Amino acid sequence: MPATTRPQSLICEVTHRCPLHCLYCSNPIEMQQSAAELPAEVWRRVFQEAAAMGILHLHLTGGEPLARKDLAELIQAGHEAGLYVNMVTSGVGMTEERLAGLVQAGLEHLQLSFQDADEARANYIAGTRAHAWKLGLVPLIKRQRLAFTVNLVVHRQNLDCLEEMIALAESLEPNRIEIAHVQYYGWALKNRSLLMPTEEQVQYALPVVEAAKTRLRGKIHLDAVLPDYYANFPKACVGGWGRQMILIDPAGRALPCHSAGILLGFEFDNVREKSLSWIWEQSPAFERFRGDAWMSETCRSCDRKERDFGGCRCQAFLLTGDMEAIDPVCTYSPQHGLMEELRKPVGDELLPIYRNS
Amino acid sequence: MTPDSIPQMTPGYRLHPTQDVVLIPEGVLELSGPSRDVLLEVDGKRTVREIVHNLAAKYEGADENEMLDDVVALLGRLAERGVLQG
């Protein structure tokens, strides 16, 4: 089915290199090597194509975007194309001078994540000693003309400290706080047994987040991403396949989501060879799960298909082996019972699997 | 937000150059009616009252007091969402 909506966001993984090794990293297990990374002139063309298509937001992420020496050039290219430029960073490699250069180049929003309120536990999750560095960076960020988001990724290892984590985030005075339960893809899936929260933790966290939202209203905007293994209906993953966003990996492959590279039998077109508008409008990969023709009869006849667009294809594939299956998060899936199994607590003797850099 | 407040756009929140939306971190806010015209006047220097006085000259026949109430309410909502400071 051809595109019926225009994309709103372009997410660019400009590198997979990263000084952190977070247990919940959403990067694919098969990461792109630095030699394969797109050069700045290709990114510049892609940003211009994106703006011409009506895309408004450019998200520069990674890996760690600062690992690219030409990051300021990329930001400037996005800004000059007319895009709102956001950057997701660990802050490792940032200096006051470099940050000033990025803001001058057109950076408008920076997102910094904290792995815990406690330094030792935060460093354990990040697989490196980054927590104190990040805290030290915040005053430098606050001095710039820049929107600032603090991201808190939550899971079994830190959910009991959620109130302390929110208090830490609040003390940093960002414009926005995002509290996101880990989504189980990439490295996070490898560490699922270590990260899966318990029922008690999820029940504790919900009112804590709601109370924080109310308390901070008018001061700090709070967004929350729910733990979908505990849901009865699937998330509208990336706002629906091929409906809102395009992700470009470091080598230039255009994907409908962070994780789609795992789906078998797919050819993803590369922005080195094809224009972004062709990829959006014509590429088989983006068309594959648009509309409802691919859906099971259960989904096709369900009112919720306009809300969740059939849930997450990667999750269906990862959990059932069939990418066309009903997302097992859905209560109407014959495999919904799987979720209960996967939520069961396992011992803490499990060893973490850290991504390499 | 009061008639004597001096609103200014928060860094990282801005009016789209042509479309009726405000670009914000991770999204957009749709603007309706004359909201765009109001935001175009926000400069971090003038009070809401001065902004409305300026706008009233453009909107012929508009009641300036009524307009002031509407603009204070609009800017108050945008301030609550973090778009404006001051």
Side-chain angles (χ1 to χ4, degrees):
Chain A
M1 170 175 175
T4 53
T5 54
R6 128 194 136 174
Q8 294 162 14
S9 312
L10 183 70
I11 301 180
C12 297
E13 292 177 347
V14 293
T15 180
H16 278 157
R17 288 174 285 154
C18 189
L20 272 64
H21 316 279
C22 301
L23 296 177
Y24 55 74
C25 182
S26 65
N27 280 170
I29 306 299
E30 300 279 338
M31 290 182 285
Q32 299 288 351
Q33 301 302 307
S34 59
E37 288 175 9
L38 286 184
E41 62 266 24
V42 178
W43 283 120
R44 177 180 290 274
R45 192 201 80 220
V46 170
F47 299 160
Q48 287 164 352
E49 291 173 350
M53 290 164 71
I55 288 178
L56 300 174
H57 284 258
L58 168 63
H59 304 274
L60 298 175
T61 180
E64 171 51 62
L66 290 167
R68 282 194 67 130
K69 291 200 172 63
D70 57 359
L71 181 62
E73 195 184 337
L74 300 183
I75 289 171
Q76 191 174 350
H79 181 69
E80 285 174 359
L83 301 169
Y84 179 103
V85 185
N86 167 38
M87 166 188 182
V88 183
T89 181
S90 69
V92 175
M94 188 76 93
T95 60
E96 182 156 30
E97 196 185 355
R98 192 160 186 209
L99 178 59
L102 301 182
V103 174
Q104 188 156 20
L107 183 64
E108 296 184 78
H109 176 211
L110 182 144
Q111 302 191 43
L112 189 66
S113 61
F114 285 87
Q115 281 68 34
D116 204 307
D118 173 80
E119 180 174 2
R121 288 198 306 262
N123 289 343
Y124 163 74
I125 293 298
T128 192
R129 298 165 107 181
H131 185 76
W133 176 270
K134 290 177 184 216
L135 285 176
L137 196 59
V138 173
L140 308 185
I141 295 169
K142 297 292 296 175
R143 279 208 280 277
Q144 297 293 333
R145 289 190 58 78
L146 193 63
F148 174 40
T149 289
V150 169
N151 290 329
L152 304 173
V153 181
V154 295
H155 44 76
R156 186 163 88 246
Q157 305 297 328
N158 65 11
L159 254 183
D160 293 334
C161 310
L162 182 58
E163 282 162 293
E164 289 97 312
M165 289 175 72
I166 293 172
L168 169 68
E170 200 179 331
S171 74
L172 305 176
E173 300 180 343
N175 302 89
R176 188 171 161 272
I177 297 174
E178 187 174 314
I179 301 174
H181 277 265
V182 166
Q183 308 284 302
Y184 296 97
Y185 309 95
W187 294 91
L189 183 65
K190 277 206 181 287
N191 287 298
R192 184 172 59 196
S193 306
L194 205 65
L195 298 173
M196 182 65 63
T198 64
E199 174 89 47
E200 292 71 33
Q201 286 181 318
V202 170
Q203 293 309 328
Y204 151 76
L206 285 170
V208 169
V209 171
E210 284 312 308
K213 256 188 202 174
T214 307
R215 185 164 46 82
L216 297 175
R217 185 163 294 145
K219 289 190 287 181
I220 302 174
H221 185 74
L222 198 155
D223 283 318
V225 176
L226 299 170
D228 63 346
Y229 276 43
Y230 279 89
N232 283 320
F233 293 107
K235 61 189 172 223
C237 197
V238 293
W241 182 280
R243 284 180 53 85
Q244 290 187 2
M245 70 94 128
I246 305 173
L247 180 138
I248 314 289
D249 84 357
R253 287 194 311 165
L255 308 171
C257 73
H258 291 80
S259 165
I262 59 160
L263 298 174
L264 300 176
F266 263 87
E267 289 285 336
F268 292 103
D269 287 286
N270 194 301
V271 294
R272 288 179 196 263
E273 284 115 36
K274 293 284 203 303
S275 73
L276 205 59
S277 61
W278 184 91
I279 288 168
W280 181 255
E281 285 158 18
Q282 318 254 350
S283 73
F286 276 77
E287 298 220 346
R288 181 66 175 80
F289 295 116
R290 281 188 177 131
D292 62 5
W294 60 272
M295 289 180 187
S296 69
E297 185 48 38
T298 309
C299 293
R300 205 161 38 232
S301 59
C302 178
D303 290 344
R304 298 189 67 92
K305 73 178 176 185
E306 301 300 333
R307 262 191 279 175
D308 60 34
F309 309 103
C312 176
R313 295 302 89 218
C314 301
Q315 192 147 268
F317 176 71
L318 288 166
L319 300 185
T320 74
D322 174 6
M323 62 183 161
E324 291 193 343
I326 301 172
D327 185 335
V329 166
C330 187
T331 189
Y332 302 132
S333 160
Q335 283 137 314
H336 186 59
L338 259 178
M339 307 315 294
E340 198 181 336
E341 283 303 306
L342 295 170
R343 289 194 301 261
K344 274 188 186 158
V346 286
D348 268 336
E349 74 282 4
L350 290 157
L351 291 175
I353 302 168
Y354 289 107
R355 53 167 282 177
N356 41 22
S357 35
Chain B
M1 197 65 62
T2 70
D4 296 315
S5 303
I6 301 178
Q8 63 173 329
M9 297 295 281
T10 307
Y13 296 71
R14 68 174 159 95
L15 202 52
H16 188 278
T18 54
Q19 298 174 29
D20 280 351
V21 295
V22 180
L23 296 167
I24 65 170
E26 295 286 312
V28 294
L29 298 176
E30 307 265 347
L31 296 173
S32 57
S35 308
R36 184 184 174 80
D37 287 347
V38 175
L39 277 181
L40 280 169
E41 298 286 329
V42 168
D43 60 3
K45 292 178 192 139
R46 288 175 300 160
T47 64
V48 178
R49 202 187 299 281
E50 288 165 329
I51 287 171
V52 168
H53 187 68
N54 226 23
L55 283 170
K58 286 187 200 168
Y59 288 86
E60 225 171 288
D63 178 312
E64 199 169 323
N65 283 328
E66 249 175 56
M67 209 167 170
L68 184 61
D69 291 344
D70 291 348
V71 171
V72 166
L74 169 72
L75 296 181
R77 286 195 302 275
L78 290 168
E80 170 140 338
R81 188 59 185 76
V83 175
L84 299 170
Q85 301 172 327

